[in-house]
Structure formats: C-alpha cells, structure tokens
C-alpha cells in the first residue's frame, strides 16, 4: 500500500475516508460553564497572542478549501465571545463564496449578533439547549440564561440563519426525562433537535458510562408518543427522524458512544491556537501555527494538513479498555 498521501486531490486517509468538513474553534473562552464540559472555575484562557489571528484563520481556511473542504462549523469555547466575530465570518465568506458556513453556539449573545452574522455570510446556526426547564438549564450550564437563549434562537430564525438545529446533551439522572418535551418543541417550532450522547470529554472527568443515555433509548421514548420515520442517510453523524404524522421539525441522535460513526467520519478540527486534530478523541495534534509564524509557505502547510489526515486513526476507542481521555476537554478542542 502507498505509504504517503498524494500531493493533490481531496484530503484522504489510509482507510479511504475523505475529510471535507472542518470545525474551526475561534476561541477557547466561554461565557457558560456546562458541567459536562468545563469546570466551575479555574480553567485558564489562552493568552491573546496564542490565538490565531483573523488573517491566520483565513489563510488556513483557504488551504483547506483548496483541498476540498466544503463545509465549516465555527465553534469554540463560545464563538460569539470572540471580538468582531462578524468581521471574521465575512473574511471566511470571501475565502469560500460557496462554502457551507454554520456556527455552534450557546445562543446567549445571538439576540444582538444574529443579524450581523447573517449579513456577514453565516448560513445557519446550531444552538445548544440542554433543558427547557429554567432550573435544570441553570443546573447543567451553571447560568440562569434559558430565556435569553430562547430569545437568541428566535433572533437567529428572524435573521434567516435556518434551518435551526438544537444540540441537547442527554445525561442520565439529569435531563433524560425531557426528550419527549424536546420532540414536542421541535414539532411546534420546526427546529431539528439533535440529542447527543454524553462523551468522556468533560474537564471534571466525572463522565461515567452509566450516565450515557443510548441514542436508541431516546428514539424509542419519542417514538412511543410521536411515531417517527427515519430520514435518508447522509454524511451527517446524526441519524435523523421526521414525524410520521407530517408535523414540522425533526429529531436526531448523535450516538458517538453506543453507535460510533468513525467509519464514515469526514471531520477535522482546528483548535483556537492552530492545532489540527483528525479526531475529537485524538491524542496527537499537528501544530500549524508554529510553522505558519516561522514563515512556512502554503505548500508546506498544505503538506502538514495532508499528512495529518493521512494518519487519521480508524476510530476512537471509547469502548475499549485501553481508552485514554484526551488531555483537552471539549471547550478547548472545539466541539
Ligand atoms: N459553546 C458552543 C455551544 O454551546 O454549542 C460551542 C462549543 S460546545 C463545546 C459544542 C457542543 O459540544 C455543545 O453542543 C455541547 O453541548 C457539546 N459538548 C460539550 N461537552 C460534551 C460532552 N462531554 N459530551 C457531549 N457533548 C458535549
């Protein structure tokens, strides 16, 4: 077998998977402290000079786009806390006029930013909402901000950042009893609610398998109340279902723990300080910032990107006894 990646064509690994979807973290900072992601306090932020500048981010994005990346998700930390985010989104849009540009956000600043982001060229948003009950939302995010997040979602919809997707991390003993309420909300609003299995990526290292609610259990619970029809499969890791009675909206599950989708994974991640990761659970990263700041040309950086994809492992090892949780938690990787 060929032991090196070809210098041209799409970004491909040794298992034949093509990486054409990039998550770009624009900051490690966050204005929430979700229990399953960050510690209540004590996480130190990257100094400003370690963050990629807008120019560096745009340059790297150009390298990915020229190598076949067709969709990006702006993420963090919380992307909306990066100063002048709409300016960056406009620069991304100039790099990739045809690029699918979406953003994952906690939504709390969307009431002010949605219009500006849409004008700058953002296509749509995914908003994280873990509970529709004020007290539980506060328990899980450590912020009493449900109303403001809901207002942010409405602002995003009004600005045309649609279809609206909602991410809900389901944790046993916390919000698992709300999945049918979320499905009802999807039907009322037309949103697509995606239930995410709890993954071992929390800074507090409190993850336990017993707290993972399997995607199949979630689908069964909803299907008993609102019968579901599976949607055709696409490249998305979410398995999506429509409502059999034709109601608007949809539900989906991202079953990374119980039904890993590594075989079809097309994702790459760039951290806020310019480390490229071929898997959410990767234990190795490729530094793109260092070479870029030392004067590396586009071909050299392109080769580093290609080699990182080429070395992508076959899949994460959450379900193996030798699983090692990455040093970085989700907010520092860019979810
Ligand atoms: N701050 C933004 C947000 O709230 O969407 C973007 C970054 S956040 C890290 C991205 C997504 O990762 C969120 O939907 C969050 O709920 C999810 N997430 C964080 N930690 C997780 C974990 N341990 N297991 C599963 N999902 C997690």
């Amino acid at each position: 077998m060929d032991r090196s990646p070809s210098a041209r064509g799409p970004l491909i690994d040794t298992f034949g998977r093509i990486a054409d979807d990039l998550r770009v973290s624009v900051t490690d900072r966050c204005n929430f402290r979700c229990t399953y992601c960050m510690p209540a306090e004590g996480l130190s932020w990257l100094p400003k000079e370690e963050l990629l500048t807008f120019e560096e981010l745009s340059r790297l994005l150009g390298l990915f786009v020229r190598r076949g990346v067709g969709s990006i998700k702006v993420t963090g930390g919380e992307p909306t806390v990066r100063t002048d985010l709409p300016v960056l989104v406009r620069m991304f849009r100039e790099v990739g006029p045809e690029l699918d540009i979406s953003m994952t956000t906690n939504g709390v600043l969307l009431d002010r930013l949605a219009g500006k982001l849409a004008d700058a060229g953002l296509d749509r948003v995914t908003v994280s909402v873990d509970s529709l009950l004020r007290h539980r939302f506060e328990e899980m995010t450590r912020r009493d901000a449900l109303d403001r997040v809901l207002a942010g979602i409405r602002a995003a919809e009004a600005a045309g950042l649609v279809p609206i997707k909602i991410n809900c991390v389901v944790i046993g003993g916390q919000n698992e009893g709300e999945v049918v309420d979320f499905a009802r909300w999807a039907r009322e609003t037309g949103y697509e609610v995606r239930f995410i299995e709890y993954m071992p990526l929390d800074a507090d290292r409190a993850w336990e398998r017993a707290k993972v609610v399997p995607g199949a259990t979630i689908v069964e619970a909803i299907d008993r109340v609102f019968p579901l029809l599976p949607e055709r499969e696409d490249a998305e890791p979410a398995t999506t279902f429509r409502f059999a009675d034709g109601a608007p909206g949809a539900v989906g599950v991202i079953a990374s723990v119980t039904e890993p989708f590594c075989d079809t994974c097309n994702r790459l991640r760039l951290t806020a300080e310019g480390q490229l990761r071929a898997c959410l659970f990767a234990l190795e990263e490729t530094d793109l910032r260092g070479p870029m700041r030392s004067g590396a040309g586009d071909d050299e950086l392109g080769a580093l990107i290609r080699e990182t994809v080429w070395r992508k492992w076959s899949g994460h090892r959450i379900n193996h006894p030798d699983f090692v949780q990455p040093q970085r938690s989700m907010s520092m990787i860019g979810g």
Side-chain angles (χ1 to χ4, degrees):
M1 191 178 63
D2 187 1
R3 297 237 158 254
S4 60
S6 97
R8 295 179 170 279
L11 298 169
I12 190 163
D13 65 32
T14 53
F15 300 94
R17 295 169 299 191
I18 289 174
D20 57 7
D21 179 86
L22 177 70
R23 265 116 234 275
V24 184
S25 174
V26 297
T27 178
D28 59 324
R29 289 174 192 244
C30 191
N31 44 6
F32 279 19
R33 293 289 180 280
C34 301
T35 51
Y36 52 79
C37 185
M38 298 178 81
E41 47 197 71
L43 198 67
S44 53
W45 308 125
L46 288 170
K48 191 163 179 249
E49 61 277 13
E50 292 206 14
L51 287 183
L52 293 182
T53 63
F54 284 9
E55 288 69 26
E56 288 170 334
L57 280 162
S58 300
R59 178 176 173 204
L60 288 181
L61 179 62
L63 296 177
F64 284 100
V65 169
R66 290 200 291 282
R67 286 160 183 77
V69 165
S71 59
I72 65 163
K73 182 145 265 167
V74 177
T75 185
E78 172 48 42
T80 58
V81 304
R82 177 92 191 231
T83 310
D84 292 331
L85 183 67
V87 174
L88 178 63
V89 169
R90 192 173 295 281
M91 290 168 76
F92 282 174
R93 179 50 73 208
E94 279 164 16
V95 170
E98 305 297 323
L99 198 62
D100 176 46
I101 308 181
S102 59
M103 176 174 78
T104 303
T105 172
N106 62 31
V108 77
L109 295 177
L110 275 183
D111 53 351
R112 313 193 211 140
L113 279 174
K116 289 182 191 146
L117 289 167
D119 288 347
L122 187 69
D123 288 317
R124 63 203 153 73
V125 288
T126 297
V127 184
S128 301
V129 183
D130 299 319
S131 176
L132 295 170
L133 301 172
R134 182 175 164 186
H135 72 275
R136 186 169 297 126
F137 184 96
E138 182 175 1
E139 252 164 51
M140 291 182 73
T141 62
R142 300 190 180 104
R143 293 291 184 270
D144 180 12
L146 177 60
D147 284 348
R148 210 164 152 206
V149 168
L150 295 178
I153 296 171
R154 287 192 293 272
E157 201 175 356
L161 296 171
V162 292
I164 301 275
K165 293 186 184 176
I166 305 292
N167 273 355
C168 172
V169 180
V170 184
I171 302 187
Q174 296 188 37
N175 57 350
E176 64 185 314
E178 281 191 65
V179 296
V180 172
D181 295 333
F182 269 101
R184 189 173 294 109
W185 188 46
R187 293 162 61 87
E188 288 163 5
T189 56
Y191 303 156
E192 177 181 327
V193 178
R194 294 134 44 106
F195 299 101
I196 306 180
E197 287 181 352
Y198 180 27
M199 293 182 279
L201 286 170
D202 55 318
D204 288 340
R205 302 200 168 225
W207 181 87
E208 288 171 50
R209 188 164 293 274
K211 292 185 187 158
V212 177
V213 182
T217 308
I218 295 170
V219 172
E220 275 163 33
I222 296 172
D223 186 63
R224 275 197 292 276
V225 182
F226 302 118
L228 297 172
L229 291 176
E231 274 244 290
R232 70 181 161 72
E233 305 242 328
D234 54 25
E236 287 274 306
T239 311
T240 311
F241 299 83
R242 299 268 158 205
F243 296 104
D245 64 1
V251 292
V253 286
I254 303 182
S256 319
V257 180
T258 63
E259 296 168 63
F261 37 85
C262 306
D263 288 356
T264 55
C265 177
N266 63 340
R267 295 182 171 187
L268 291 173
R269 288 184 154 81
L270 183 65
T271 70
E273 79 276 48
Q275 301 283 328
L276 181 62
R277 300 173 64 86
C279 171
L280 193 47
F281 294 92
L283 300 172
E284 279 180 14
E285 307 180 328
T286 301
D287 179 26
L288 297 180
R289 186 192 65 195
M292 180 162 54
R293 289 189 181 171
S294 318
D298 285 358
D299 288 348
E300 196 179 328
L301 292 170
L304 284 173
I305 293 170
R306 229 173 242 297
E307 280 156 24
T308 307
V309 175
W310 186 250
R311 288 197 310 269
K312 179 167 172 161
W313 58 14
S314 62
H316 70 62
R317 303 191 60 79
I318 301 178
N319 299 309
H320 295 254
D322 61 354
F323 173 70
V324 179
Q325 180 165 341
Q327 285 292 319
R328 292 171 184 270
S329 53
M330 192 69 144
S331 70
M332 291 185 283
I333 295 173

